Amino acid sequence: MWPSFSSNILGLALLPLALASPFQKRASGPWMALDTDFPDPSFVGTPDGTWYAFGTNGNGKRVQVASSSDFQKWTLLDKEALPTLGGWETDVNHWAPHVIMRNDGKYVMYYSGEAKSDTGHHCVGAAVSQGTDPSGPYIPQPNPFACNLDKGGSIDPAGFLDSDGTRYVVYKVDGNSIGNGGDCNNGVAPIKPTPIMLQKVKEDGVTPVGDPVQILDRDSSDGPLVEAPNLILHQGTYFLFYSTHCFTDPKYDVRYATATSITGPYTKTNTQLLKTGEFGMTSPGGGTVSGAGDKLVLHSFCEPNVRCAYAANISIKGKTVTVL
Ligand SMILES: *[C@@H]1O[C@H](CO)[C@@H](O)[C@H](O)[C@H]1NC(C)=O
């Protein structure tokens, strides 16, 4: 019998691709998870296998939340995850939420909020879920988790659970907010530091233990800043994911540094895991990787001024991260 017309067409169409990379599957890259403004996304998996993603304020919500049953297809929920505020914060600029599950089954959301005492600058807040629903509502702690307003404030928190059960939070000191102008307000000398800090916390996820330690900072190859830190441990190596440059700049990207101890030293690989022009991305950033190191969410401009959320499969071998 003759092969059907359609299968013949398909066979011919696939041939050049197969010849071009005979041994390696071509990376397909991130796929769009939410075709709407959902910047700085993070995600958490739940015991029943559902995924929840959280995004910066948008679509009429202070903190946006979306869910997925398979990590492939996502649905934006019409729910305000943070219906009440901490006494220290204003009602605007709830940025870069990140959620972890606690041992007691409740969830902790870390987020950036604008400081009432110093508007235009931000502190990191922590809020605990009322029950065991990861979509909230989350009830803010009365006091901010970290401020550092004298150094520009604090933003972009992410929780981390170490293999020995110790919990940490990483965040960025927002030095460029008190910079001298130019690129993201930090392109004019003297350039302000934008350190990434590591803070140990108690099992409750919200009570700091000791002082934070600095684990990274910008250098000239990062442009005005490093930000959006997110930490995982994979087979004995700590991977600190972060973004460099201004989020509006085509140079915004996702990079990672590695360390063999949680407190560092962290060595920048200077690998651009995601960058403008690859996989159709424009200023990709705000990447968050799962604890297992096989999934990532991030944002990329999908229209002017709209940062859609994308999801990707990744693979880690040794100290190298690859987008699949
Ligand atoms: C991502 O991984 C899942 C689970 O292995 C798989 O079903 C899916 O096809 C992958 N997606 C892409 C775009 O590679």
Side-chain angles (χ1 to χ4, degrees):
M1 269 191 47
W2 293 101
S4 78
F5 180 73
S6 62
S7 73
N8 196 16
I9 291 286
L10 195 65
L12 285 173
L14 286 175
L15 198 57
L17 193 79
L19 288 176
S21 51
F23 305 116
Q24 214 180 344
K25 191 173 169 283
R26 200 194 192 104
S28 52
W31 62 91
M32 186 176 280
L34 293 163
D35 188 4
T36 187
D37 196 44
F38 197 91
D40 312 308
S42 68
F43 66 103
V44 68
T46 63
D48 74 359
T50 309
W51 301 93
Y52 287 85
F54 302 86
T56 282
N57 55 271
N59 288 300
K61 300 291 190 291
R62 205 174 268 151
V63 169
Q64 301 192 73
V65 54
S67 73
S68 171
S69 60
D70 59 5
F71 199 75
Q72 309 297 306
K73 202 171 168 294
W74 290 83
T75 307
L76 183 65
L77 304 184
D78 184 15
K79 179 164 179 176
E80 175 57 75
L82 191 69
T84 54
L85 293 172
W88 55 272
E89 59 188 315
T90 74
D91 198 15
V92 302
N93 294 358
H94 286 86
W95 294 343
H98 186 266
V99 168
I100 57 110
M101 191 180 76
R102 238 166 40 175
N103 302 349
D104 67 358
K106 288 191 169 187
Y107 293 81
V108 178
M109 176 187 289
Y110 307 101
Y111 62 96
S112 326
E114 190 193 52
K116 263 185 192 166
S117 65
D118 193 5
T119 54
H121 303 278
H122 300 79
C123 298
V124 166
V128 181
S129 65
Q130 204 166 52
T132 55
D133 182 347
S135 68
Y138 286 84
I139 314 300
Q141 296 293 109
N143 297 311
F145 179 81
C147 272
N148 299 298
L149 287 166
D150 57 327
K151 297 187 174 70
S154 301
I155 64 169
D156 291 355
F160 171 67
L161 176 63
D162 207 351
S163 55
D164 67 359
T166 312
R167 292 191 180 278
Y168 296 86
V169 179
V170 290
Y171 62 89
K172 171 207 179 190
V173 175
D174 200 15
N176 52 295
S177 80
I178 52 165
N180 298 297
D183 194 12
C184 250
N185 197 43
N186 205 22
V188 177
I191 307 289
K192 301 283 185 183
T194 61
I196 305 300
M197 308 301 290
L198 173 78
Q199 172 69 62
K200 190 189 279 191
V201 292
K202 286 189 179 166
E203 189 178 306
D204 65 7
V206 300
T207 308
V209 177
D211 290 329
V213 295
Q214 181 178 324
I215 54 171
L216 207 76
D217 199 359
R218 62 161 295 288
D219 62 54
S220 55
S221 72
D222 301 313
L225 57 85
V226 287
E227 63 183 16
N230 161 233
L231 189 62
I232 69 158
L233 174 64
H234 187 269
Q235 293 177 358
T237 301
Y238 294 91
F239 288 83
L240 179 65
F241 296 88
Y242 59 98
S243 291
T244 77
H245 293 86
C246 194
F247 76 100
T248 51
D249 192 308
K251 289 182 179 150
Y252 204 57
D253 60 7
V254 179
R255 301 189 191 192
Y256 58 97
T258 62
T260 50
S261 158
I262 177 119
T263 50
Y266 283 82
T267 305
K268 290 177 178 174
T269 61
N270 290 323
T271 303
Q272 291 181 293
L273 186 60
L274 289 143
K275 61 180 178 184
T276 295
E278 272 183 11
F279 304 123
M281 304 268 102
T282 303
S283 306
T288 301
V289 175
S290 66
D294 61 349
K295 294 179 173 63
L296 169 139
V297 297
L298 76 161
H299 72 234
S300 162
F301 283 107
C302 45
E303 284 172 47
N305 299 317
V306 179
R307 287 170 285 167
C308 289
Y310 293 78
N313 294 331
I314 62 169
S315 140
I316 303 181
K317 291 205 173 64
K319 293 192 172 176
T320 304
V321 185
T322 311
V323 176
L324 298 177

